[in-house]
Amino acid sequence: MLDADMVDEVKKVSDSYGMALASYLRNLIREALNVERHGVYAPAALRRIMAVHVLAEMGFVYIPVDLLAEPRRSRERGFEVGRLASRVGLEFTQLLEVMGYLRKLAIVAGDRVVIPVSSIPHASLKEFILGLALGMNLRVAEEEDAIVVHTG
């Protein structure tokens, strides 16, 4: 049973997003069920993403281990990850966010994600991000100073 304090707190959260309480709860439950369908206990997933968020704020990033072992395969590995991610309904911006790059590396402008090349710390990571977008069948413009990914 939910107590009044918890309901008030959830109401404040939904208000902060400009949403009705019912809409917020419907979205929360829909996503929790989606996580559960993939075999993950939803409360544990929320705790895990909080840890990811804290680590990202401290400058940690997710990269595939094989990127370190075989940097020449970076774009190919990104393509594989992007293709799989799109099959399970993930978005490019979600992946960048979990990897710790969305706020520190990319600029989201409408249906485009602009990633300044100077903000990517290593060439193999640039190749991985390019492969990720291409694997998700997104239109990519590789410019001299930026990567532009069209997400819409």
Side-chain angles (χ1 to χ4, degrees), residues 113-115 117 120 126 130 140-143 145-149:
V113 177
V114 179
I115 306 168
V117 172
I120 303 173
K126 174 188 170 200
L130 282 166
V140 177
E142 189 176 356
E143 300 173 3
D145 60 345
I147 298 168
V148 180
V149 179

Side-chain angles (χ1 to χ4, degrees), residues 11-25:
K11 177 75 173 121
K12 287 177 187 173
V13 170
S14 67
D15 288 346
S16 74
Y17 292 110
M19 298 175 76
L21 179 60
S23 294
Y24 179 79
L25 288 173

Side-chain angles (χ1 to χ4, degrees), residues 19 41 62 92 95 140:
M19 298 175 76
Y41 180 56
Y62 272 95
F92 182 70
L95 296 176
V140 177

Side-chain angles (χ1 to χ4, degrees), residues 88-107:
V88 297
L90 296 175
E91 297 175 13
F92 182 70
T93 52
Q94 288 175 301
L95 296 176
L96 285 183
E97 186 173 24
V98 170
M99 289 170 54
Y101 291 114
L102 191 58
R103 276 196 252 142
K104 294 186 174 38
L105 184 85
I107 302 159

Side-chain angles (χ1 to χ4, degrees), residues 38-140:
H38 284 89
V40 179
Y41 180 56
L46 288 171
R47 285 190 298 275
R48 191 174 312 126
I49 201 64
M50 189 61 202
V52 168
H53 173 74
V54 168
L55 290 173
E57 290 295 316
M58 296 170 42
F60 284 72
V61 295
Y62 272 95
I63 59 169
V65 173
D66 55 343
L67 218 68
L68 301 173
E70 297 182 74
R72 289 184 299 271
R73 286 197 63 237
S74 298
R75 189 178 291 214
E76 179 184 341
R77 181 67 169 129
F79 187 89
E80 293 166 358
V81 171
R83 190 174 53 212
L84 177 64
S86 65
R87 285 184 184 154
V88 297
L90 296 175
E91 297 175 13
F92 182 70
T93 52
Q94 288 175 301
L95 296 176
L96 285 183
E97 186 173 24
V98 170
M99 289 170 54
Y101 291 114
L102 191 58
R103 276 196 252 142
K104 294 186 174 38
L105 184 85
I107 302 159
V108 179
D111 67 346
R112 294 177 302 145
V113 177
V114 179
I115 306 168
V117 172
S118 63
S119 67
I120 303 173
H122 197 276
S124 63
L125 184 57
K126 174 188 170 200
E127 291 298 313
F128 180 81
I129 291 170
L130 282 166
L132 190 66
L134 293 169
M136 298 182 88
N137 290 320
L138 299 174
R139 193 165 49 98
V140 177

